[in-house]
Amino acid sequence: MDCNYLDARMVAKMFLAGARNLEAKKEWINELNVFPVPDGDTGTNMTMTILSAAREVSALADPNMKELAKAIASGSLRGARGNSGVILSQLFRGFTRGIEAHEKVTVPILADAFAKAVETAYKAVMKPKEGTILTVARGGAEKAEALSQEGETDLEVFFREIIEHMEHVLAQTPEILPVLAQAGVVDSGGQGLVEVLKGAYDVFLGKEVSFEPVAPAEHIPAVVSAADAPAEIRFGYCTEFIIMTERPVEKADEQALKDYLESIGDSIVMVADEEVIKVHVHTNDPGLAIQKALSYGALSNMKIDNMRLEHQEKLFHSAQQPAAAEPEPEQEKAPRKDVGFVAVCAGSGLSRIFRELGVDYVVEGGQTMNPSTEDVLGAIRRVNADTVFVLPNNKNIIMAANQARDMAEDQTVIVIPTQTVPQGITAVISYVPELPCAENESAMREEIRHVRTGQITYAVRDTSVGGREIRQGDYMGIDDTGIVSVGVNMERTVLETVDAMTDDETELLSIYYGEEIEPEDAEKLREKIAGRYANLDIELQSGGQPVYYYLISAE
């Protein structure tokens, strides 16, 4: 076969075939993830990213190259999920810039497009790491440039040699990243990229590939408004205020106030420093909370909301709408405000905590279900505020959040790079309405540095990580440094994880139990930890999160 150019029709067919091949291999690619946790979703994230673009390409009847390039770039950018998906979308973005102005794409044009793809992807990553999809992509670009310089014009030879070289680079990734060698795998993102090119090459060679319209995404995270969440309202008044203390607050005084608030309400969030105490409590008698607070100093920023009344009004208005009627967002939109918040988390309890702290919209997502750039962007647009803070609460969602920030219009978006839910909670608690956004951003970034997070989950396969032998089904304790405990006893795994997370300066331990944990079992564990760490304040809350039995925060 001697072919020296591609037209838009062939590029579209090759792209769709690449998407199909990646989709077919996604579970295998998921299995290549180094850590044996139940959120190894590189294959899923890359597949959902490319399928978002494939749906737009499938909808084009007879596109020219510019229309096709726009569909690939736009669809992948908006559908990007997880770090691997965002990097893939940036590769497509750069590649399409290299071909969009050409109706016939030749080897030199393709070599330039490969180079632009790699350049764009590297720029999108704050700290590029070698031994990953970036390394594999760069290897392909370098081979493409070499073939172009040698005068190669046959696209069959061009694609075959690029794929062979990328597979060679992929095989070397364990030598670059020791953690891959320990797990006995190659980089999963790099493997996914190779599968895209293999699928494209197959259709170029004339192999039969299905081009049925691409189905909708497997999972579309829900965007939940703060007003949308039903709840059993035990304490009717959401009460918030700031105490400007008359003297430095001792730890015993702070604990006494907290104990009193717990005796008259729930959902307590209290943050104190030398001069102020920020208080949030749900109670049936706000006057009691205010009276107690006045004994500590003067009050400011007082806010009391009747949650039962608001709930009844919402139910009334919902009942007035026809069952099949679409909501009218513009009529229901809250008044424009200066600042709003979007947070990402999974679990009804965690969602409730963020809403009670003032977050406007919660995007359902986290481990195993990373929201897309478009999901985050949609949540930002729903917040009727000039500036929107976004809390990704997962290191695999930060890049998608940054991409949403760059695509936002008419709003200033500030992404606080929270890698865990406890960091996100600390960030929003640290926000001070009276300060400028830039100062709040700086303060939140500083505060999350002091939060240590532990997570208790289970192993999905046998493996060896960092010298630890792990068997499928083992409990695993993971902190900010990696896997710190592995065993068959959950309680022992939790205690060993807490040991690794705490030191003499630790004052507060917050425990969020997941959807599979019974409240009484969580309370027994809390008592066990309290007996072991008498100097720590230990808070226990229902997180309702999937995948992780416990999330633990040490401050």
Side-chain angles (χ1 to χ4, degrees):
M1 178 180 180
D2 186 6
C3 178
N4 56 16
Y5 76 89
L6 304 175
D7 58 17
R9 183 172 175 273
M10 178 53 78
V11 172
K13 289 180 65 176
M14 293 175 69
F15 180 79
L16 292 173
R20 288 297 188 193
N21 195 49
L22 178 61
E23 183 183 29
K25 306 290 179 58
K26 70 176 179 181
E27 293 302 333
W28 170 55
I29 294 168
N30 283 341
E31 288 296 316
L32 293 176
N33 280 273
V34 172
F35 288 102
V37 294
D39 61 355
D41 47 10
T42 298
T44 300
N45 283 337
M46 293 182 72
T47 296
M48 296 178 78
T49 298
I50 198 171
L51 289 185
S52 175
R55 283 190 292 276
E56 295 204 14
V57 172
S58 297
L60 299 174
D62 186 21
N64 57 38
M65 197 67 77
K66 186 173 183 178
E67 293 169 337
L68 177 62
K70 181 179 179 181
I72 294 172
S74 175
S76 61
L77 283 172
R78 289 187 288 104
R81 297 171 189 268
N83 293 344
S84 56
V86 172
I87 292 172
L88 182 64
S89 73
Q90 292 294 330
L91 288 170
F92 289 146
R93 183 185 185 194
F95 181 84
T96 55
R97 284 175 176 171
I99 67 171
E100 62 184 356
H102 307 276
E103 287 305 320
K104 291 186 176 182
V105 177
T106 59
V107 164
I109 294 171
L110 284 169
D112 178 63
F114 272 87
K116 282 184 168 64
V118 171
E119 179 185 5
T120 303
Y122 267 87
K123 284 182 178 178
V125 180
M126 186 173 297
K127 295 180 180 179
K129 181 182 291 187
E130 297 302 333
T132 65
I133 182 176
L134 292 170
T135 306
V136 177
R138 193 181 72 238
E142 290 171 350
K143 186 64 175 179
E145 178 61 23
L147 290 168
S148 179
Q149 292 293 330
E150 292 168 9
E152 181 61 66
T153 60
D154 188 338
L155 287 176
E156 181 180 352
V157 176
F158 179 77
F159 288 131
R160 183 181 69 244
E161 294 202 14
I162 286 176
I163 292 172
E164 289 176 355
H165 184 70
M166 290 175 69
E167 288 183 313
H168 171 70
V169 174
L170 178 64
Q172 293 179 320
T173 54
E175 299 175 20
I176 302 172
L177 280 178
V179 68
L180 295 175
Q182 291 175 7
V185 296
V186 296
D187 178 68
S188 54
Q191 186 70 66
L193 181 61
V194 168
E195 296 308 319
V196 172
L197 291 177
K198 281 185 173 182
Y201 185 51
D202 281 346
V203 82
F204 176 81
L205 294 177
K207 295 184 180 180
E208 291 295 325
V209 177
S210 170
F211 292 106
E212 292 299 315
V214 178
E218 299 172 11
H219 170 76
I220 301 176
V223 179
V224 184
S225 164
D228 287 341
E232 180 182 345
I233 302 176
R234 181 182 172 196
F235 295 100
Y237 295 94
C238 177
T239 307
E240 300 177 21
F241 49 79
I242 294 177
I243 308 172
M244 296 174 289
T245 58
E246 298 172 348
R247 55 182 173 78
V249 180
E250 301 293 336
K251 189 171 181 61
D253 295 330
E254 182 183 341
Q255 187 60 47
L257 175 58
K258 186 174 182 181
D259 290 343
Y260 178 78
L261 294 175
E262 287 178 342
S263 72
I264 64 168
D266 66 3
S267 299
I268 297 157
V269 178
M270 198 170 78
V271 181
D273 61 22
E274 293 182 356
E275 298 179 352
V276 300
I277 304 176
K278 295 179 68 174
V279 174
H280 169 283
V281 59
H282 290 179
T283 179
N284 285 327
D285 194 336
L288 293 176
I290 291 170
Q291 184 176 359
K292 183 70 173 179
L294 284 169
S295 67
Y296 287 76
L299 304 186
S300 70
N301 293 69
M302 298 174 64
K303 178 172 173 285
I304 300 173
D305 292 325
N306 186 331
M307 296 186 296
R308 291 192 181 98
L309 180 60
E310 291 174 354
H311 184 62
Q312 290 168 357
E313 289 177 348
K314 176 172 173 55
L315 292 176
F316 174 78
H317 288 302
S318 297
Q320 303 307 306
Q321 298 294 328
E326 291 293 327
E328 299 183 16
E330 293 303 319
Q331 294 180 6
E332 297 179 1
K333 221 172 194 180
R336 188 78 168 182
K337 57 183 180 177
D338 293 333
V339 175
F341 281 85
V342 167
V344 181
C345 72
S348 58
L350 296 178
S351 294
R352 174 183 55 80
I353 290 169
F354 277 113
R355 291 192 301 271
E356 290 173 350
L357 290 173
V359 169
D360 299 273
Y361 280 90
V362 175
V363 182
E364 179 191 346
Q367 307 293 46
T368 74
M369 49 180 181
N370 300 149
S372 69
T373 296
E374 189 168 30
D375 292 325
V376 179
L377 183 60
I380 291 168
R381 288 170 174 164
R382 288 171 183 246
V383 179
N384 193 19
D386 296 326
T387 299
V388 180
F389 284 90
V390 178
L391 309 172
N393 300 332
N394 186 299
K395 64 183 179 181
N396 207 31
I397 300 174
I398 294 173
M399 288 186 69
N402 287 336
Q403 197 154 271
R405 173 200 62 202
D406 296 340
M407 296 172 68
E409 300 175 354
D410 302 323
Q411 287 172 297
T412 299
V413 178
I414 300 174
V415 177
I416 305 298
T418 51
Q419 298 190 17
T420 65
V421 165
Q423 284 188 350
I425 291 172
T426 295
V428 73
I429 288 174
S430 303
Y431 174 76
V432 179
E434 294 78 17
L435 294 179
C437 288
E439 289 186 29
N440 269 303
E441 178 184 5
S442 178
M444 284 189 273
R445 284 176 175 268
E446 177 62 25
E447 287 300 319
I448 66 175
R449 291 178 57 249
H450 304 300
V451 179
R452 284 162 287 181
T453 302
Q455 303 170 99
I456 310 300
T457 186
Y458 61 93
V460 295
R461 64 177 181 276
D462 295 351
T463 188
S464 175
V465 178
R468 293 179 182 272
E469 292 300 319
I470 302 171
R471 296 286 175 259
Q472 182 177 348
D474 281 353
Y475 296 112
M476 296 189 301
I478 306 168
D479 73 358
D480 299 325
T481 66
I483 298 175
V484 295
S485 178
V486 176
V488 296
N489 183 284
M490 184 188 294
E491 181 181 289
R492 182 179 302 167
T493 301
V494 173
L495 292 174
E496 289 179 356
T497 304
V498 172
D499 284 343
M501 294 171 58
T502 56
D503 55 33
D504 292 340
E505 296 182 0
T506 306
E507 297 179 350
L508 174 65
L509 205 68
S510 300
I511 303 171
Y512 308 91
Y513 59 91
E515 63 181 0
E516 296 186 33
I517 301 297
E518 295 296 329
E520 54 268 26
D521 293 334
E523 178 57 32
K524 288 178 184 177
L525 181 61
R526 189 199 71 79
E527 292 173 356
K528 185 86 172 181
I529 297 173
R532 190 163 173 160
Y533 298 93
N535 60 319
L536 292 183
D537 289 334
I538 301 175
E539 296 182 349
L540 179 67
Q541 298 195 57
S542 171
Q545 70 272 4
V547 179
Y548 289 89
Y549 301 115
Y550 292 98
L551 296 177
I552 307 168
S553 170
E555 299 179 59

